[in-house]
Amino acid sequence: MENKKNFGTFICQRRKELGMTQKEFAQLLFVTDSAVSKWERGLAYPDITLLQSICQVLQCSEKELLSSSEDTEGRRAEQLARKYLRLTRNYRLGQYLLFGAITIGCLLGNLIAQHTLDWFWIALASEAMVASFTLLPTFVPEGKRGAVSMGAFTGCLVLLLGVCCLYTGGDWFLMAAVSVVFGLGLVFLPFVLRTLPLPERLACRKASLYVGIELLLLVALFAVGCQYTGGHWFLSAALWTIFGAGIFLLPPLLRQLPLPHRWDGHKALVYLSTESVLLLVGLAWEGRLGGFPVPNLPVALLCLVLPWGLLVILRYLPLSRWFRAGISLAWAALWLWLAPFCLDQILQAAGWATDQLYGLTLPVDFTDWTSPDTLGANVTFLILLGLLLLGAVCVVLGFYWRQRHPR
């Protein structure tokens, strides 16, 4: 009963505020005067089909009508929304007038002073670059403003560089444009990728996409720079850059790349194979005029023996972790002992003379730490001994673990 009275009181109050009589109110709703009287006295509710019409006549929301009270927060939100739209329209109008006045002023100034249009295009491109941050965001949904504005700014900046290059008669446009895009992408591309509506396959691989784009831009920068300077160093720079970036970035990227199912458990093998191929291709390219395949190829293979041996032992040897760790340490000690000797043999076979050959028997003398040869032998021996001792400890722990946890 109380709700009906509140409902009727609200209808009566709103009707009187609008200056309507019960008869006028009833005529607008196509009902009788007595029906309106029953509503306002709290004796009955109107038909549910009349709610929307009642709200239109009383100029209130359905929420206000059903709650029998004014929705001050809702009205405040509507007022703020209308105020925001009005401010946005005024802001856009101000921007239109400002950019229009600058454009007309530059156009007339260029025509009056030079009787042609030359630097006017620089001013126009500069205005577009500024508008990408001041005017364009007002047309873009809130979640995409950063990405769209940054993309428009980059495009306008490249356009400005092109206009300036034409104005000065230079040939540096490509060099400057690629450098600017690469630099801006290096800083802002991670933030832009977060807001772009990427396909599902790429949405979970944004880090890989970022690295791939920046690496392509860097290679393009090398190509443009090589052409600009008239050099022949593009392939060398590109190969060694990809090789160096792969050393640090390829392991995390392999976690995101969609490899075939049978290769999912062999990502370390893919990583080492890729880097080995890049190393050999780079050495072959650098040594195409001499030094390849001898001695560059044997030296490279000698260096690759260590990581490939460690990969096979740690990843594919069917033993427990302690045994694999011990064998890996022993393998590292063996390579460290034999590698200098093998390197001397390779250099000798290539015709490179050496003052003193490395022997398999180390001239260890712990009473002499001043002679360079003896000092190097002593340090090498201690390193080898340390690796072998650590390997022996790991093997002992492996046997202990096997006894404690028999299969």
Side-chain angles (χ1 to χ4, degrees):
M1 188 67 179
E2 186 68 24
N3 291 337
K4 289 183 179 180
K5 289 184 177 180
N6 293 337
F7 183 81
T9 302
F10 178 76
I11 291 181
C12 181
Q13 180 181 354
R14 289 295 299 168
R15 176 180 60 78
K16 291 179 179 180
E17 289 177 356
L18 296 174
M20 289 187 294
T21 64
Q22 284 187 348
K23 185 176 182 180
E24 292 172 341
F25 183 49
Q27 289 176 349
L28 292 173
L29 296 175
F30 301 102
V31 296
T32 61
D33 301 354
S34 60
V36 174
S37 177
K38 289 181 180 180
W39 298 346
E40 294 184 351
R41 286 181 295 155
L43 299 178
Y45 280 124
D47 190 83
I48 192 171
T49 59
L50 295 174
L51 291 181
Q52 187 174 3
S53 300
I54 294 174
C55 292
Q56 292 177 353
V57 173
L58 297 180
Q59 299 178 12
C60 65
S61 65
E62 293 182 1
K63 180 180 179 181
E64 290 177 323
L65 181 63
L66 295 176
S67 63
S68 303
S69 62
E70 292 188 1
D71 186 8
T72 55
E73 294 184 0
R75 292 180 179 271
R76 177 64 176 169
E78 292 180 2
Q79 292 176 356
L80 290 175
R82 288 194 295 269
K83 185 177 181 180
Y84 173 76
L85 292 176
R86 185 170 59 253
L87 289 174
T88 302
R89 287 194 298 268
N90 294 337
Y91 177 77
R92 289 176 182 171
L93 180 60
Q95 291 282 308
Y96 294 149
L97 294 175
L98 176 62
F99 288 125
I102 294 175
T103 302
I104 295 174
C106 292
L107 176 66
L108 296 177
N110 197 186
L111 288 175
I112 294 172
Q114 282 80 29
H115 305 289
T116 186
L117 293 179
D118 45 21
W119 57 263
F120 164 75
W121 303 110
I122 298 178
L124 188 62
S126 302
E127 284 186 77
M129 187 173 64
V130 175
S132 63
F133 278 133
T134 59
L135 182 59
L136 181 62
T138 61
F139 296 96
V140 181
E142 186 173 353
K144 301 178 181 179
R145 288 176 182 173
V148 174
S149 297
M150 197 64 218
F153 172 79
T154 303
C156 292
L157 181 56
V158 172
L159 177 63
L160 178 61
L161 292 173
V163 173
C164 291
C165 186
L166 291 175
Y167 180 75
T168 59
D171 58 351
W172 45 264
F173 167 69
L174 282 178
M175 186 70 182
V178 177
S179 301
V180 166
V181 174
F182 171 75
L184 291 176
L186 198 64
V187 179
F188 296 106
L189 187 57
F191 305 100
V192 173
L193 289 175
R194 293 180 183 177
T195 59
L196 289 180
L198 298 174
E200 185 178 356
R201 294 181 61 184
L202 296 178
C204 59
R205 300 182 178 93
K206 293 179 180 179
S208 302
L209 187 61
Y210 167 71
V211 173
I213 293 174
E214 285 301 302
L215 196 58
L216 287 176
L217 287 173
L218 183 58
V219 172
L221 181 60
F222 288 154
V224 174
C226 185
Q227 183 181 8
Y228 183 74
T229 58
H232 303 282
W233 46 266
F234 165 68
L235 281 178
S236 297
L239 282 172
W240 293 120
T241 298
I242 295 174
F243 171 76
I247 291 178
F248 300 100
L249 301 177
L250 191 56
L253 292 182
L254 285 174
R255 299 177 183 176
Q256 296 185 348
L257 293 178
L259 297 176
H261 180 69
R262 61 180 180 178
W263 288 103
D264 281 342
H266 305 280
K267 292 180 179 179
L269 179 62
V270 174
Y271 166 73
L272 192 54
S273 300
T274 303
E275 288 299 301
S276 299
V277 171
L278 288 174
L279 175 62
L280 296 177
V281 171
L283 290 175
W285 173 256
E286 295 294 341
R288 64 191 184 280
L289 300 178
F292 194 88
V294 179
N296 289 355
L297 179 59
V299 172
L301 294 176
L302 176 63
C303 295
L304 290 173
V305 166
L306 176 63
W308 274 100
L310 293 175
L311 173 66
V312 172
I313 294 171
L314 293 174
R315 182 65 182 84
Y316 298 104
L317 201 62
L319 296 173
S320 67
R321 294 180 179 180
W322 286 114
F323 284 116
R324 283 181 285 170
I327 297 174
S328 298
L329 291 170
W331 172 255
L334 179 63
W335 184 88
L336 184 61
W337 175 49
L338 295 177
F341 174 78
C342 296
L343 180 61
D344 281 347
Q345 302 303 315
I346 294 171
L347 295 179
Q348 272 192 320
W352 292 20
T354 55
D355 296 335
Q356 185 174 358
L357 296 177
Y358 180 90
L360 292 178
T361 303
L362 299 177
V364 178
D365 186 359
F366 291 118
T367 62
D368 183 10
W369 294 86
T370 57
S371 174
D373 296 335
T374 306
L375 177 62
N378 292 345
V379 173
T380 302
F381 178 79
L382 292 176
I383 293 175
L384 296 175
L385 183 61
L387 291 173
L388 293 175
L389 289 177
L390 287 175
V393 170
C394 291
V395 171
V396 171
L397 290 175
F399 281 112
Y400 176 75
W401 179 265
R402 177 178 292 181
Q403 291 178 357
R404 291 291 302 274
H405 302 84
R407 293 183 180 180

